[in-house]
Amino acid sequence: MADVDRSDPDLKFLVVDRNAFSDPATQAEWSQKRLVWVPHETAGFVAASMKRAQGEEVEVELVETSKKILVSRDDMQKMNPPKYDKQEDMADLTCLNEASVLHNIKERYYSGLIYTYSGLFCVVVNPYKRLPIYTEKIIEIYKGKKRHEVPPHVFAITDIAYRSMLQDREDQSILCTGESGAGKTEN
């Protein structure tokens, strides 16, 4: 994102300050705790610290509650280092698994970042409220830019399709899928 001013207040719902995730102390603490994702009955997956292996099971300590439980090795999923939190494109995650993808989308959503790329796809989570990310100024930011030059947004997808239509003189299509009430007509 060479020519996008990440400090622009109009972009607060579109960009993340990557410097906040590169703290060496945080990275070292993460490594020391040997964190993984483990299945959870209500939360889907929760963070846990591996304590000791017992055959095909591993004793872990849940981060939030400090409760120790035994988990099958097959049920554990690797966790990405903190520097990958709120990644704009999940294809860039080092550990690409269900728990890490859900965590990334959830962390971005809770920060007001409703758009996330997953390779060629743009994943959108409906915030169920209006966000100031559909203004003329935001449209101008995305005009003529390549996808990797700007934060994830439906405008990036539409601008690429529009430019391809003009350049290649071929029809383009954009597929929006989701459950009823998911917000497809809002985007």
Side-chain angles (χ1 to χ4, degrees):
M1 285 186 259
D3 48 358
V4 173
D5 180 9
R6 290 182 156 275
S7 64
D8 185 337
D10 289 332
L11 297 177
K12 94 174 204 181
F13 293 104
L14 296 171
V15 298
V16 171
D17 178 12
R18 298 294 332 150
N19 293 327
F21 302 107
S22 59
D23 176 34
T26 304
Q27 299 296 329
E29 181 184 350
W30 176 85
S31 295
Q32 183 181 9
K33 288 185 176 178
R34 300 176 56 208
L35 294 175
V36 294
W37 295 111
V38 296
H40 188 268
E41 197 171 289
T42 56
F45 296 93
V46 294
S49 179
M50 294 190 302
K51 295 301 176 188
R52 60 188 171 95
Q54 298 178 350
E56 288 300 309
E57 293 188 316
V58 177
E59 182 182 46
V60 298
E61 182 178 318
L62 303 182
V63 171
E64 285 189 17
T65 63
S66 298
K67 179 181 176 183
K68 292 185 179 178
I69 60 171
L70 285 177
V71 179
S72 167
R73 284 184 190 275
D74 292 339
D75 290 338
M76 293 186 336
Q77 294 186 24
K78 292 181 179 180
M79 182 184 286
N80 288 289
K83 69 180 180 180
Y84 291 97
D85 281 354
K86 300 180 188 175
Q87 198 68 32
E88 288 184 350
D89 189 339
M90 292 184 290
D92 294 335
L93 296 174
T94 57
C95 303
L96 192 57
N97 53 50
E98 182 181 6
S100 294
V101 166
L102 291 173
H103 173 73
N104 192 64
I105 292 173
K106 182 177 86 173
E107 289 298 304
R108 288 181 59 80
Y109 177 79
Y110 287 155
S111 297
L113 305 164
I114 64 168
Y115 292 105
T116 308
Y117 290 130
S118 181
L120 296 176
F121 299 93
C122 183
V123 178
V124 187
V125 181
N126 190 343
Y128 295 101
K129 64 182 176 183
R130 293 224 178 268
L131 296 177
I133 58 175
Y134 305 105
T135 64
E136 290 297 322
K137 180 179 179 182
I138 300 294
I139 291 172
E140 289 302 316
I141 290 171
Y142 284 86
K143 278 187 180 174
K145 299 284 191 319
K146 294 182 174 142
R147 197 181 89 156
H148 67 276
E149 296 175 333
V150 287
H153 197 296
V154 69
F155 290 165
I157 304 300
T158 57
D159 190 68
I160 291 167
Y162 179 70
R163 285 186 294 119
S164 293
M165 182 179 66
L166 294 177
Q167 181 180 344
D168 302 337
R169 299 200 182 281
E170 290 183 2
D171 293 341
Q172 301 291 310
S173 63
I174 297 172
L175 175 64
C176 298
T177 66
E179 295 182 10
S180 177
K184 295 176 297 296
T185 55
E186 297 298 316
N187 283 302

